């Protein structure tokens, strides 16, 4: 992944994957999130104020995003394997 921007008043960074997805990473707490499956889609989602999809990394049992704690099995959660 390559860092491409900061957002949310510098509270998170955006990264572009080799496949073109845009992943956000919080700089405040351990949380990653899928902003968009394409750069264009991610920029549109940010412009519309849409919430990103929470991601669980392999070592995580849960992640908190938007004040909600997400766990394995929650339908909103995206894992790294789903990005391939």
């Amino acid at each position: 992944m390559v860092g491409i921007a900061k957002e949310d008043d510098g509270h998170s960074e955006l990264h572009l994957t080799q496949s073109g997805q845009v992943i956000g990473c919080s700089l405040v707490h351990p949380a990653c999130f899928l902003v968009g499956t394409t750069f264009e889609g991610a920029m549109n989602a940010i412009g519309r104020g849409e919430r990103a999809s929470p991601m669980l990394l392999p070592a995580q049992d849960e992640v908190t995003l938007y004040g909600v704690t997400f766990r394995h099995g929650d339908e909103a959660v995206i894992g790294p394997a789903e990005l391939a």
Side-chain angles (χ1 to χ4, degrees):
M1 293 193 308
V2 175
I4 58 171
K6 289 189 178 184
E7 72 161 345
D8 195 21
D9 292 327
H11 290 108
S12 61
E13 295 177 329
L14 298 179
H15 300 270
L16 185 64
T17 69
Q18 184 175 355
S19 301
Q21 300 103 338
V22 177
I23 306 295
C25 297
S26 174
L27 298 175
V28 179
H29 66 286
C32 291
F33 41 92
L34 176 66
V35 181
T37 56
T38 65
F39 180 80
E40 181 181 4
M43 296 304 106
N44 286 332
I46 290 170
R48 290 190 298 261
E50 294 177 7
R51 289 186 169 190
S53 300
M55 296 181 66
L56 273 176
L57 302 178
Q60 290 180 304
D61 293 321
E62 63 184 30
V63 63
T64 301
L65 196 60
Y66 308 114
V68 178
T69 300
F70 297 92
R71 295 177 178 80
H72 289 285
D74 289 345
E75 65 180 50
V77 172
I78 294 174
E82 294 172 87
L83 296 178

